[in-house]
Structures are given as structure tokens and as C-alpha cells.
Amino acid sequence: KTIFTGVLASDYSLDGIASFLTNNYDGSDTIVTIVEEAEPNYVIASSTGIAGVRKVLIEDNSKPCPEDNDGDRCMGVRIPISDLNEDIMEQLISTTYLTQKEKNFPVSELIPVRVDHDDFRGVYASHTIGFETKETGISWRIMIMCPVPVQDDDTIMPGDSMFQLLITSVSAGFIVCFLQLVLFIRNRREKEIIASDWRFTGVFLAGCALLNLACLSYIGPNTDATCLTRMWVIHFFFVFALTPLFVKTYRLYKLTGVGSIIPRRQTISNARTVLMAMPFLAVEVLILLVFTFVDPNKVENILVYDESNMRHHVICSHDTWAFFTVQVIYQGGLVFVGCLLAYKTRNMRKEYRDNQQLLLTMYNIALVGSVVVVVFNATEVCQATTRVFITIGILWITVFSSCIFVVPKLLLIRSRKLNPVEEDEPARRTWSIVGNVTNSIPRIGRRVSYHYSQNSNSFGDQSEEDDDITGSSGKKIRACFIKQPMKQPMKQPMDAIQETRNSPDDDALSEISRT
């Protein structure tokens, strides 16, 4: 009976594993690489033919062994995967493994790795599988890499069908808004446009034209620079277009004293109104600056795959939903403020207010914006289609809003010029004074309404009793301002009627008329 005492060791050849991978994946775009799990992650074998051992000089391991060596000056060393950098494929394998390791080798996720090189440009989807045997102590990581075609429907490039549609929408929106701006400024001296505060309406029309031009930023590839530019121009010019409507409506609201118990005369200059608009733009700029550094709009590589297909998308996106949430709250709040101001000024004379147009504009923006948000979040569409959809929505918002502000006023101007109507002569102002009149007459206690006929020089029925006015002499008088035509003549004559147009008390009576 023989008893063995000692150590039994066995060697395995890495060349056999490398030959197996090379033969099975010959002519395939798929790359399979086996790497040791333990640091420094030595390469076992690869289907690209990379050897796990490299011959180097004994005196300097950083230099490869010359081909005409005699064998005494060289030695074989194992290669860590981080040292693979001799060609583009070795760099791809090294970058992919380090990316997988950084993400802790996700089991249910494919990691895309993009390669931009003069000899090779593309994206590989990578996945790793752990291989371990407890009996032998082997712990390997098998990495599989497959090339994935990049989808071209996430960008709008010249020559694409989406490019033609976007250019058409942008051109139509800009031309319509710009022409209306020109017509509005040319007719700024007409009373219909003067009453509409043409300066701020003109800024709104210019903002609509610029908002359409901002959609041109959607053209081109998705890069960090273009993604950030789109974030800035679209949101900034949207707020820039809406702000003039808010401030001009707010100025009318303050000037007319709508909602005030005691109306007071106020003066709000154009310069002060411009300063009122600055905070709206400043808040939007602050939001954009914060997210430019905290959570910018940048390029993201996404792999979409199912049972039979795999696609790679290069899109612009944020890391979180914070920017989307903040913009919805802020810009949605602007729309709400616009509707509130329009509602509060609903009882103003229509030639001095644009509340109906403002309400329609805000309703239109809210409706179209809601549709865009729902389509963007509820459907799986590529970014190129989404951007064209947003461009068409901006076209509709700007053209509709500018038309309802400009076209009715231009039609009123045209109608007035084609059908001039002579203004009626001012009504003859006649006062009925009963009693002694002094040189100074204080204000009337309350307004009364009388009916007077210029033809018959008689008063109609009065709606209220005559107002007593106390003069400086302490004697009471009665006065009324004659404004409306007579409905039926008085049955009793009024002997005390006195024409006061040229009397010494014209100034005092004018004070009564104003009251």
C-alpha cells in the first residue's frame, strides 16, 4: 500500500482558452474577454487574439522584448486589463471593463460604451457574467461586447424629412410675427393702437418672432454644448415673450384703480414699467444659471432592447426631474398670473384693455403646453419627433396670440378709415340754478340725473331730488348737469331756468360738472 504525501499542482494553458474564443468568434463583431476578478484584473484571454502574457525585457519590464532576442534577456509577464492600449480594440476592451467596474457590474443592465476614433466610430453594448469555482479557487469575469447601431431619429440634420418640417414651421412663425410687428409699429399713431400700449405689445410680438427662431437650435447633433444651448434659448425667450403682456396689463390695473375702494390718480412711466418686467426675466435667468452647474442638459447614451432588437439612442437629458418641475411651476405660475390680471380688468372700457386677448392667449398656451407635456411623457417617441412637435406648438401659440392682438385692431383702423363718421357736437351744458349764487360753489353732495331738450329748452323728469349745495354765503342752491336727451317734457314750466354758459360762475359750475 502506497501513501502519497505532498502537494499536487496542475497548470492550465491560457493559449487553449484564447484559441477557443478566437475560433468560435472568428468573423463576428461580438467581442468576448475573460478577466480575473481579483486585482489587478489580469487578462485571461480574448476573442480578438489578445494574449494574456506579454514578453518584456528583464531589465526593463516597460519595454517589449525584441523579435531577435535569444531568450535570456526576456521574460513573460501577465497583463492587467488597464494596461491594454496598443490599438483601438485594446482601448475599447479596457474602457468597457473599467466602466462596468465603476458601475459595480450591473446584472440586468447593458452598459453602452462609445468609441470615437479615426479608424473606428461606434457604440458597444456590454454585459458581464461572473464565473467562479470554489474547488479550484477560480474567480473570473466574462465580458461580452456587441456593436449597436446608433439611431439617427434623435437628431435633426440637414436633408432629413424632419429638417424640412422644422424649417417650414420656424419660417412661417417668424414671418407672421415679424410682419405683424412691422404693421403694428407703422400704425402706432392710430388711436386704436395707442390705447393698447403699443410699446409693450410690440415687445411681445418681437418675443414671439425670436421664440420661433430659437427652435433652430434643435438642428444639429446632440452634444453637451448644443443640449445646453437649447435649454437656455427656448425657456428664456418663452418668458421674454410673455412678460410684456403681464406688465402692461398690471399697469392698466393700477392706473384705473380696479378693485380699489378709493380710486386715486397715479402715474406709471414706461421706464418704471420696464423695471417691473425685469424681475420676471431675472428669475428665469437665475433658474437657468443654477441648473447649468447643478444639473445641466447634457448628452446621455441609452440602450433600448427587446427580445430581437437592440437600439442605441444619444439624447439630451437631465439627471433628475428637478429642472422640469421648477419650470412647470414658474412658467405655469406666469400663465396663471396673466389670467388673473385679465380677469381683474374685465370691466374696463374695451378700447383700453386686452383682457379677452390675454385670456385667450393664456388658455391657448396652457392647452398646447399640456398636450406637449402629455405626449412627451406618455409616449415613446424619439427626440427628433418631440422637437418638431414642440416647434409646431410654438408656431401655433405665437401666431394665434399675435393675431388676436393685432388683427382686430388693424381691422378697426381699416373700418374707421373706409367709413369715416363725424363726431357728434358736444351737448349743450345748461344749469338750473334756484336761489342766490355766490362766486364760490363747493362740490355737490351727490350726483343727480336730469333730462334736457335743446329744442324745447325744457327739463324732463329727474331721477332723484335736486341736490342742495351750500355756497360761501351760507345760502342753499340747487344745481344739476344736463347730459341726456329728454324722454318727455315737463308738465309745469320752469321760470327759473337761467343760461349760465357765459356767467361769472363758469369755473365753479365746471367743478360741479366734473363731480
Side-chain angles (χ1 to χ4, degrees):
K1 186 175 181 180
T2 304
I3 299 175
F4 173 78
T5 303
V7 177
L8 178 64
S10 63
D11 294 333
Y12 60 87
S13 174
L14 300 182
D15 293 337
I17 300 176
S19 298
F20 172 80
L21 294 177
T22 303
N23 295 332
N24 281 272
Y25 290 95
D26 185 24
S28 174
D29 294 329
T30 302
I31 300 175
V32 179
T33 305
I34 304 176
V35 184
E36 278 190 357
E37 196 71 74
E39 295 285 350
N41 307 120
Y42 289 118
V43 177
I44 303 298
S46 177
S47 61
T48 59
I50 298 175
V53 178
R54 182 177 297 166
K55 290 184 178 182
V56 296
L57 294 177
I58 297 176
E59 61 270 16
D60 188 357
N61 293 343
S62 62
K63 295 182 179 180
C65 183
E67 296 181 358
D68 56 349
N69 69 90
D70 53 6
D72 297 334
R73 301 173 49 202
C74 299
M75 62 177 293
V77 295
R78 301 188 65 183
I79 307 172
I81 195 168
S82 58
D83 292 345
L84 296 178
N85 56 10
E86 289 188 357
D87 54 32
I88 184 61
M89 280 300 171
E90 288 191 1
Q91 295 177 10
L92 175 61
I93 294 173
S94 176
T95 302
T96 303
Y97 185 84
L98 295 178
T99 303
Q100 284 277 353
K101 186 177 181 180
E102 181 182 355
K103 295 181 179 294
N104 199 23
F105 302 108
V107 177
S108 58
E109 181 183 356
L110 295 178
I111 304 299
V113 177
R114 187 175 183 87
V115 179
D116 292 319
H117 194 270
D118 295 337
D119 299 331
F120 176 80
R121 295 180 183 273
V123 175
Y124 274 80
S126 63
H127 185 63
T128 61
I129 302 174
F131 175 78
E132 183 177 357
T133 58
K134 295 181 179 180
E135 293 81 4
T136 59
I138 293 176
S139 180
W140 292 347
R141 176 69 58 175
I142 303 174
M143 184 173 65
I144 305 171
M145 304 163 54
C146 300
V148 181
V150 179
Q151 297 296 114
D152 57 358
D153 53 1
D154 292 309
T155 57
I156 302 176
M157 304 297 292
D160 299 342
S161 58
M162 293 293 183
F163 176 81
Q164 303 295 333
L165 186 56
L166 185 139
I167 290 295
T168 302
S169 300
V170 171
S171 301
F174 175 77
I175 291 173
V176 171
C177 295
F178 183 76
L179 288 179
Q180 292 189 96
L181 173 63
V182 173
L183 292 175
F184 202 77
I185 294 178
R186 288 182 59 184
N187 292 275
R188 66 187 182 278
R189 301 188 185 277
E190 303 293 340
K191 65 178 185 179
E192 291 84 356
I193 293 182
I194 291 176
S196 183
D197 205 346
W198 64 270
R199 294 176 181 83
F200 291 96
T201 305
V203 175
F204 163 71
L205 296 174
C208 290
L210 293 174
L211 182 57
N212 281 279
L213 288 182
C215 295
L216 292 177
S217 63
Y218 287 143
I219 300 174
N222 292 331
T223 63
D224 289 339
T226 57
C227 292
L228 192 60
T229 301
R230 292 160 188 163
M231 182 188 77
W232 270 84
V233 296
I234 298 297
H235 293 281
F236 176 79
F237 283 114
F238 177 79
V239 176
F240 178 82
L242 288 183
T243 300
L245 299 183
F246 300 148
V247 295
K248 80 166 197 156
T249 307
Y250 179 74
R251 180 163 76 166
L252 287 176
Y253 170 75
K254 297 296 290 184
L255 289 176
T256 55
V258 176
S260 300
I261 299 177
I262 303 177
R264 292 177 297 178
R265 183 177 179 180
Q266 300 186 53
T267 300
I268 302 178
S269 63
N270 290 328
R272 181 181 172 187
T273 308
V274 171
L275 292 178
M276 291 164 55
M278 290 297 104
F280 294 99
L281 297 176
V283 170
E284 181 63 30
V285 171
L286 180 62
I287 293 174
L288 293 172
L289 281 175
V290 169
F291 280 94
T292 298
F293 297 99
V294 175
D295 186 13
N297 193 25
K298 60 182 182 297
V299 171
E300 182 178 359
N301 295 283
I302 297 179
L303 289 176
V304 180
Y305 51 92
D306 49 31
E307 296 180 355
S308 60
N309 193 14
M310 184 182 301
R311 302 179 304 277
H312 174 246
H313 295 269
V314 181
I315 63 173
C316 294
S317 67
H318 296 268
D319 292 335
T320 65
W321 286 88
F323 180 77
F324 175 81
T325 304
V326 171
Q327 289 292 357
V328 167
I329 293 174
Y330 179 61
Q331 297 180 6
L334 292 182
V335 175
F336 174 77
V337 170
C339 294
L340 183 62
L341 289 176
Y343 175 78
K344 285 183 173 293
T345 58
R346 66 192 184 279
N347 294 324
M348 292 174 56
R349 292 172 57 185
K350 64 179 181 180
E351 61 266 29
Y352 293 105
R353 61 181 169 92
D354 292 324
N355 68 306
Q356 293 181 350
Q357 291 91 330
L358 187 60
L359 278 173
L360 288 174
T361 298
M362 298 306 165
Y363 173 77
N364 184 51
I365 293 173
L367 177 63
V368 176
S370 300
V371 171
V372 171
V373 170
V374 169
V375 171
F376 180 76
N377 292 281
T379 60
E380 295 183 0
V381 294
C382 58
Q383 279 202 338
T385 304
T386 303
R387 290 166 183 168
V388 171
F389 191 72
I390 293 174
T391 303
I392 296 175
I394 291 176
L395 167 68
W396 173 259
I397 289 174
T398 54
V399 170
F400 179 83
S401 301
S402 60
C403 285
I404 64 175
F405 274 99
V406 177
V407 173
K409 299 187 182 301
L410 295 180
L411 293 177
L412 286 175
I413 295 173
R414 176 180 174 83
S415 176
R416 178 171 55 82
K417 291 182 177 181
L418 293 178
N419 302 296
V421 179
E422 295 184 0
E423 295 185 356
D424 295 337
E425 300 240 352
R428 183 181 181 184
R429 297 183 178 183
T430 306
W431 295 89
S432 172
I433 304 298
V434 181
N436 297 328
V437 180
T438 61
N439 291 332
S440 62
I441 301 180
R443 59 180 182 175
I444 304 178
R446 55 190 173 89
R447 186 184 305 177
V448 295
S449 175
Y450 287 83
H451 306 291
Y452 175 70
S453 172
Q454 294 183 357
N455 296 330
S456 60
N457 290 332
S458 60
F459 287 92
D461 294 336
Q462 61 185 50
S463 60
E464 299 182 23
E465 295 181 357
D466 297 344
D467 282 319
D468 292 338
I469 304 175
T470 303
S472 60
S473 61
K475 294 185 178 182
K476 294 184 178 181
I477 61 174
R478 291 179 181 176
C480 61
F481 179 48
I482 310 308
K483 298 175 61 175
Q484 300 180 358
M486 180 187 66
K487 293 184 178 179
Q488 55 182 341
M490 294 285 291
K491 295 181 179 180
Q492 297 179 358
M494 298 185 63
D495 299 334
I497 297 177
Q498 179 182 357
E499 174 64 34
T500 61
R501 178 179 297 276
N502 300 319
S503 68
D505 297 318
D506 279 346
D507 294 337
L509 295 177
S510 297
E511 177 66 20
I512 297 175
S513 67
R514 285 195 296 270
T515 306

